């Protein structure tokens, strides 16, 4: 990377802990407006709680709508975070340094957002604890519940998998955060903040033993979290795929297809986030065009594999030549409004961004990357919507009544809530902890070498 | 650290490097040019003999006729085994080049040499074109057969074209990557310089040539990967899935490509081990290479389970008559022992063994596990192709299930000849070509002198590696 | 005798390394002195002893615990109230695999994180002689923790090796005796 700048430790500390030490000028107004959106969403939810699911657009036979779409979408986004971080850690890619933490935090908040969608979607959210295998003596007051969760139901796997993923992500983020909490502890002069950071830092002093753990533990945890990450979206996809009731869902490729789609949308989410952070916190010394370039190339590969999976999904849906399946596919591509959505999905999800990313000038431009990755996520949201809704709204032999689906205002409000929540969560996290790990950047400065060959300088790095 | 204006700054450490006075590694050239020992020659003769045996097997099989598909089950298995092991090995070179891993340098050429086995694959594949019936038999197909509009031999036409493209791309890749080495050998070795100057095809190492080499290799590498997917897609669909009525598994083409890469990594691990142990390359191949391959094998074996469970879950839950049939046929019916052995060899053993640091990070661990993967891979091919080709495709009208499931066929003499031939012929080609193409890339190894070295770092020594372009 | 610690702050890596070798020469044991840095350095940069970690064992413990929990959740609960749903056997392996898989990994992660804390010797309540500049500005700290009678000599060695400044701090034994003492982070 030729754009490298050697920075002093104090400068790095100063730059990267600045958002933690004092609020930026825009902070309160930004968080305030996001808070307003969240408030609107929550009031919609209270209304929904009071009047029941009738206030949403779901009706027979389309029982799953925007909430489930949004659930799958956020689970998808959550994937990239850990994927980017874990894969880059395992392959010891040098350009991971400024990206990993932000990616992990994105995972954290998008998982919470995903889980909240389930709460919005169920009719009696106050019985959500029924999903736990707590023995009846613990919840003896609840007489209706005499039985255990049915482990043969995919809806029991979901909370197990997502809960595992959430808990592991929290632990993962915290483990990697300890040195930086110690830094903030030392940076903050006094006051209650100092006490809180001191407790959270657990007395970290930066001895060789502690640094060795900091080098090994994330790799070990990455190796453990990666299989969890693969399982979570597979399980979410099986919510659909194990059922034979709906055409277009019962396909074996669903698990890999969902995973690769999740990586596609999630890595794009990470890029969007990187560009946002770059502008918000003026991090151009740390996030370089090279980083966008590297991640852009990764995206081209991921997007192409995803498209191949989409192709296989379609071709094998048509392969048995069964009428209901053909009718469904026909409806998706030729019957408005689905056909319009389908075109938008293809263009935004694949054709526009991927053809743009083939150009180096686009990949190296944060502004371009910001918009193209947002396009991807519009496409990927529609992808989930087009899997769920048309499949359910197709007339089958035994449906007694049928209607279509359009999201109600409450649903739109709650979808907006999740977006606001994730953005707000990341901004608030960045107000409390450094979002770019200073110790990692400082390590990069020490590990860096330059190999001079003739007139060319090549950056090199210490390998351990 | 230095103190500059009250700030501590870590100054960049600069290493100057040039290849001006570093000659091409003589040891590598000497090992390549040396007279091959008895072991090498006896292996060469054995594989040559078995290849001839295999060809006789092919002829005998053809003479028996194409009508009885079940007689061809071992044959197709053997042919597919070539494509899902030998032809997957070059992916290691392509993938590690994309990831710019420096540990690949000593093994990338060996991985590319496996491209030559495509020729053996083509030889074995050709008769299968006559075994596979035309689309007029009414089976489902990728080509959505419509008499008059879609040619009845679409699968045959397109898969042959894809396969030819695949093998040609592979051979071109091998040649392109080896061209600078041919030029070195043209200038450095006596006796064979005519062949080498022909193969080097005017390579002088100009900046332009190096630049275009890099571009061509990366473009062809991507092509290779896409063709690998395509070829396996055809093999999985028209040559397999279409022959089992009611089997709809959109994942299987990807699974087969994955199996090919797994088999490729496994056979490459063994090849690298042989180079280390008996090839005289102990100074060039180290723990890093076998460990790296071990890690790859571990990751890929985990993926095997994921692909397997993704398909199983959907079919098992679906429980439609055709799905139950497919599971009975491929896993839980008469082929249960084959399935269990496959699972054991290809997933359980690699997973539990390679989890252990002491096995993964060793010279002997990865190749032994690789052997288990190869056995498993063969059984997996047999589980699918063997059952598909010997299946009686009549469906019972009352139960909507298969009227009967095939027994596990016992290989007869001809089958054994074909199987041994299919394993030996690629090996024979590889041994032959290793006499002319250095099995460790001379130029990639020399290039590494520019980018990797051990440097003093205060009180210790560290490995510093650069990743150019 | 109570332990006391002294910290020397270094700018140059070589000087810090020299301090370590001089300490060794003066018969200070490897467990009596430590380097502190604000960022990881390659192992052995200062000639320090290689810490031995046993982090790889923890996930296996976790996996065993997780597997057992999963066994109780799946087999236990399903046998406690056997109810056939969807035409599947009460103990069906494919769905149970999912729970086994998740629980095994979950407990591996949890135990690994505890293992990471344990191996880092965290939490450490009394930090001994410490300076904020190590984390924030990139100074290299060498801290020697020895009985009180050997402390002055250690301080001398540190100064001689080129420490920019030194400072002293109390270790836990002394603190515990002094009831109500405050944290000694600032030495």
């Amino acid at each position: 990377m030729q754009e490298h700048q050697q920075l002093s430790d104090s400068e790095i500390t100063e730059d990267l802990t600045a958002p933690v030490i004092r609020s930026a000028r825009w902070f309160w107004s930004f968080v305030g407006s996001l808070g307003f959106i969240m408030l609107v969403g929550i009031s919609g939810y209270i209304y929904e709680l009071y009047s029941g699911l009738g206030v949403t657009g779901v009706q027979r036979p389309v029982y799953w709508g925007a909430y489930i779409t949004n659930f799958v979408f956020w689970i998808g986004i959550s994937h990239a975070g850990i994927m980017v971080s874990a894969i880059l850690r395992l392959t010891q890619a040098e350009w991971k340094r400024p990206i990993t933490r932000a990616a992990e935090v994105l995972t954290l908040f998008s998982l919470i957002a995903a889980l909240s969608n389930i709460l919005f979607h169920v009719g009696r959210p106050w019985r959500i604890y029924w999903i736990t295998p707590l023995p009846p003596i613990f919840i003896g007051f609840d007489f209706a519940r005499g039985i255990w969760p049915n482990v043969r139901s995919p809806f029991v796997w979901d909370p197990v998998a997502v809960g595992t993923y959430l808990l592991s992500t929290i632990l993962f983020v915290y483990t990697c955060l300890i040195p930086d909490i110690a830094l903030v502890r030392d940076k903050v002069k006094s006051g209650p903040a100092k006490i809180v950071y001191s407790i959270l830092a657990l007395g970290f002093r930066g001895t060789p033993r502690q640094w060795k753990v900091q080098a090994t533990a994330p790799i070990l945890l990455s190796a453990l979290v990666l299989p969890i990450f693969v399982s979570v979206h597979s399980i979410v996809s099986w919510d659909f795929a194990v059922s034979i009731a709906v055409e277009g869902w019962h396909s074996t490729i669903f698990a890999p297809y969902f995973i690769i789609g999740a990586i596609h949308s999630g890595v794009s989410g990470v890029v969007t986030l990187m560009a946002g952070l770059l502008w918000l916190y003026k991090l151009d010394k740390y996030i370089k065009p090279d980083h966008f370039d590297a991640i852009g190339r990764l995206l081209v590969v991921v997007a192409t594999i995803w498209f191949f999976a989409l192709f296989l999904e379609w071709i094998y849906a048509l392969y048995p030549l069964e009428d209901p399946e053909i009718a469904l596919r026909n409806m998706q591509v030729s019957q408005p409004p689905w056909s319009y959505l389908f075109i938008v999905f293809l263009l935004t999800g694949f054709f526009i961004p991927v053809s743009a990313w083939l150009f180096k000038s686009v990949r190296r431009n944060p502004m371009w990357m910001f918009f193209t990755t947002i396009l991807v996520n519009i496409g990927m949201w529609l992808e989930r919507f087009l899997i769920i809704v048309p499949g359910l709204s197709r007339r089958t032999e035994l449906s007694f009544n049928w209607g279509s689906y359009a999201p109600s205002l409450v649903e739109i409000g709650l979808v907006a809530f999740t977006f606001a929540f994730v953005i707000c969560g990341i901004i608030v996290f960045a107000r409390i902890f450094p979002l770019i790990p200073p110790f990692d950047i400082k390590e990069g400065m020490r590990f860096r070498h330059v190999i001079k060959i003739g007139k060319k300088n090549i950056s090199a790095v210490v390998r351990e | 650290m230095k103190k500059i204006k009250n700030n501590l700054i870590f100054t960049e450490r600069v290493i100057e490097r040039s290849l001006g006075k570093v000659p091409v590694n003589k040891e590598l050239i000497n090992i390549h040019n040396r007279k091959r020992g008895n072991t090498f020659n006896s292996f060469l003769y054995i594989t040559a003999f078995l290849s001839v045996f295999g060809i006789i097997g092919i002829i005998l099989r053809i003479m028996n006729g194409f009508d009885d598909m079940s007689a061809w089950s071992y044959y197709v298995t053997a042919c597919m085994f070539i494509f899902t092991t030998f032809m997957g090995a070059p992916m290691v070179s392509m993938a590690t080049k994309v990831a710019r891993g420096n540990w690949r340098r000593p093994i990338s050429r060996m991985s590319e040499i496996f491209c030559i086995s495509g020729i053996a694959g083509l030889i074995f594949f050709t008769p299968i074109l006559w075994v596979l019936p035309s689309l007029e038999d009414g089976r489902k197909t990728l080509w959505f057969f419509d008499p008059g509009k879609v040619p009845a031999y679409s699968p045959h036409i397109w898969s042959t074209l894809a396969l030819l493209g695949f093998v040609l791309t592979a051979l071109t890749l091998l040649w392109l990557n080896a061209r600078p080495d041919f030029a070195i050998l043209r200038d450095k070795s006596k006796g064979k310089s005519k062949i080498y100057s022909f193969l080097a095809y005017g390579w002088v190492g100009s900046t332009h040539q190096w630049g275009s080499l890099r571009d061509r290799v990366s473009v062809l590498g991507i092509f290779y990967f896409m063709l690998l997917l395509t070829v396996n897609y055809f093999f999985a669909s028209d040559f397999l899935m279409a022959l089992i009525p009611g089997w709809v598994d959109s994942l299987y083409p990807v699974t087969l490509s994955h199996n090919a890469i797994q088999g490729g990594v496994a056979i490459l691990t063994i090849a690298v081990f042989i180079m280390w142990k008996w090839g005289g390359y102990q100074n060039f191949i180290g723990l890093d290479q076998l460990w790296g391959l071990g890690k790859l094998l571990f990751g890929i074996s985990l993926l095997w389970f994921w692909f397997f469970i993704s398909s199983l879950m959907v079919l098992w839950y679906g429980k439609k008559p055709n799905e139950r049939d497919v599971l009975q046929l491929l896993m839980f019916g008469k082929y249960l022992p084959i399935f269990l052995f496959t699972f054991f060899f290809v997933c359980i053993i690699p997973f539990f063994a390679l989890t252990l640091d002491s096995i993964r990070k060793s010279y002997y661990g990865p190749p032994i596990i690789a052997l288990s993967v190869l056995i498993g891979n063969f059984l997996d091919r047999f589980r699918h192709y063997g059952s598909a080709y010997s299946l009686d495709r009549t469906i019972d009208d009352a139960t909507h299930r298969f009227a009967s499931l095939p027994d596990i066929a016992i290989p007869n003499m001809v089958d054994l000849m074909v199987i041994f031939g299919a394993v030996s012929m690629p090996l024979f080609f590889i041994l032959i070509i290793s006499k002319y193409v250095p099995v460790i890339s001379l130029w990639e190894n020399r290039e590494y002198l520019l980018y990797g070295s051990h440097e003093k770092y205060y009180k210790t020594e560290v490995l510093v590696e650069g990743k150019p372009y | 005798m109570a332990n006391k610690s002294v910290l020397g702050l270094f700018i140059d890596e070589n000087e810090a390394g020299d301090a370590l070798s001089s300490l060794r020469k003066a018969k200070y044991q490897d467990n009596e002195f430590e380097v502190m840095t604000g960022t990881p350095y390659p192992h052995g940069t200062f000639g320090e002893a290689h810490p031995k970690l046993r982090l790889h064992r923890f996930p296996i413990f976790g996996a065993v615990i997780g597997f057992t929990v999963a066994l109780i959740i799946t087999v236990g609960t399903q046998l406690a109230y056997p109810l056939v749903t969807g035409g599947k056997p009460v103990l069906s392996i494919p769905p149970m695999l999912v729970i086994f898989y998740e629980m095994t990994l979950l407990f591996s992660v949890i135990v690994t994180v505890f293992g990471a804390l344990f191996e880092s010797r965290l939490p450490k309540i009394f930090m001994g002689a410490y300076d904020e500049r190590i984390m924030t500005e990139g100074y290299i700290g060498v801290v020697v923790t020895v009985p009180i009678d050997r402390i002055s000599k250690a301080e001398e060695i540190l100064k001689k090796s080129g420490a920019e400044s030194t400072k002293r701090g109390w270790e836990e034994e002394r603190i515990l005796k002094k009831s109500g003492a405050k944290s000694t982070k600032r030495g």
Side-chain angles (χ1 to χ4, degrees), chain B residues 298 302 348-360, chain C residues 56 60:
Chain B
F298 179 64
L302 281 183
I348 301 284
I349 291 187
F351 173 72
F352 282 103
L354 292 174
T355 312
L356 303 173
D357 247 12
S358 49
I359 295 182
R360 193 175 62 242
Chain C
H56 288 271
I60 299 170

Side-chain angles (χ1 to χ4, degrees), chain A residues 163-178:
Chain A
T164 299
Y165 193 35
L166 183 63
L167 209 56
S168 328
T169 308
I170 292 172
L171 290 172
F172 189 25
V173 170
Y174 177 66
T175 311
C176 302
L177 200 57
I178 292 174

